[in-house]
Amino acid sequence: MNRQFPIVRMVTGDSAGRQFAGVAAAASAIGLGALAAWDLTQKKHSILRNYPIAGHARFLLESIRPEIQQYFIERNWDGRPFNRDTRTTIYERSKGTHSEHAFGTEHDVDRTGYEALMHSNMPIPNPPRPPRVRVGGDDCTQPYDISLLNVSAMSFGSLSNNAIRALNKGAAMGGFAHDTGEGSISPYHREHGGDLIWELGTGYFGARTPEGRFSPRSSPRRPRTRR
């Protein structure tokens, strides 16, 4: 009698397992049938009406599309506005780990249309006039032909008097524009006659009312400067 108990227990377990499997299969069939009936009767998604049950796989894949794109399809240099290589460098520098990369590139530099700066064994002669780009369309009353290379925005508040003089003199000698930065226009910007781009930043320096609001009628002729 003692030897029969394991057999009885095993048979009883198998019977319960088959019963549970049958109930689970029936519940699954009922659930799928209800889902199919809902897919066929709903009028919001034509994909589900044409492909009941199976059409849900499309929406599932669509929900994880960004992850699929990022981890399986996108290359290290494809992302916008910052690709994987740039993000990796930012992550490493923020954690204080190494952020250097070996010389070389992952780009196909030989493909048609790839843009790069290359050395020339036979440089072409200088043009009679430096190339320029016109800023301002047909509706602009005072268009400006700006140089391709110019002095970037550096505020007078972060530079010395002589630095402003040197930058503007370089702009005058090279025939390009000098961006003032957010610190308005000082007398030192005007000493050498270089073209100026008056930048109106968030502080409205030189172009604001006593209350601190922007004033379109302000003039940079008399800005406050330090001596």
Side-chain angles (χ1 to χ4, degrees):
M1 293 296 293
N2 293 333
R3 295 182 180 180
Q4 296 178 0
F5 289 121
I7 299 175
V8 172
R9 287 198 297 269
M10 181 179 66
V11 172
T12 303
D14 291 344
S15 177
R18 288 195 297 270
Q19 184 178 3
F20 176 79
V23 172
S28 299
I30 294 174
L32 292 176
L35 180 61
W38 183 85
D39 289 342
L40 292 171
T41 55
Q42 59 85 33
K43 299 181 180 180
K44 186 176 181 180
H45 301 288
S46 59
I47 292 178
L48 298 180
R49 289 177 63 89
N50 295 326
Y51 305 97
I53 301 178
H56 290 276
R58 184 260 188 186
F59 296 103
L60 174 62
L61 294 175
E62 188 179 47
S63 66
I64 61 175
R65 178 184 178 277
E67 288 77 11
I68 296 176
Q69 175 73 18
Q70 178 178 0
Y71 293 112
F72 300 103
I73 300 177
E74 183 179 275
R75 297 173 296 183
N76 290 342
W77 59 91
D78 284 339
R80 295 291 184 273
F82 303 107
N83 57 37
R84 169 61 64 178
D85 289 335
T86 302
R87 296 200 305 272
T88 300
T89 301
I90 295 173
Y91 297 154
E92 291 176 348
R93 291 180 178 177
S94 65
K95 296 177 182 177
T97 59
H98 68 88
S99 59
E100 296 79 14
H101 294 277
F103 288 103
T105 180
E106 297 176 316
H107 296 266
D108 183 8
V109 298
D110 295 324
R111 68 175 175 83
T112 302
Y114 183 83
E115 297 182 358
L117 297 176
M118 305 292 291
H119 293 287
S120 175
N121 293 327
M122 299 181 62
I124 61 175
N126 291 330
R129 295 186 60 185
R132 292 179 174 271
V133 175
R134 171 151 294 190
V135 178
D138 297 335
D139 297 331
C140 181
T141 58
Q142 294 181 335
Y144 178 68
D145 295 331
I146 194 170
S147 175
L148 301 184
L149 297 176
N150 303 279
V151 179
S152 181
M154 288 181 282
S155 174
F156 171 65
S158 60
L159 299 175
S160 66
N161 305 341
N162 289 333
I164 294 295
R165 291 188 178 103
L167 291 173
N168 192 256
K169 186 174 182 179
M173 295 173 61
F176 43 83
H178 177 192
D179 192 316
T180 65
E182 295 190 26
S184 188
I185 301 177
S186 71
Y188 314 108
H189 285 91
R190 299 177 178 274
E191 288 189 7
H192 299 290
D195 291 349
L196 292 175
I197 298 176
W198 182 21
E199 180 175 332
L200 298 177
T202 55
Y204 302 146
F205 297 116
R208 62 185 180 185
T209 63
E211 294 77 19
R213 299 182 180 276
F214 175 68
S215 175
R217 297 182 179 180
S218 298
S219 173
R221 295 179 180 178
R222 296 181 181 178
R224 292 184 178 180
T225 59
R226 52 181 178 154
R227 296 292 182 178

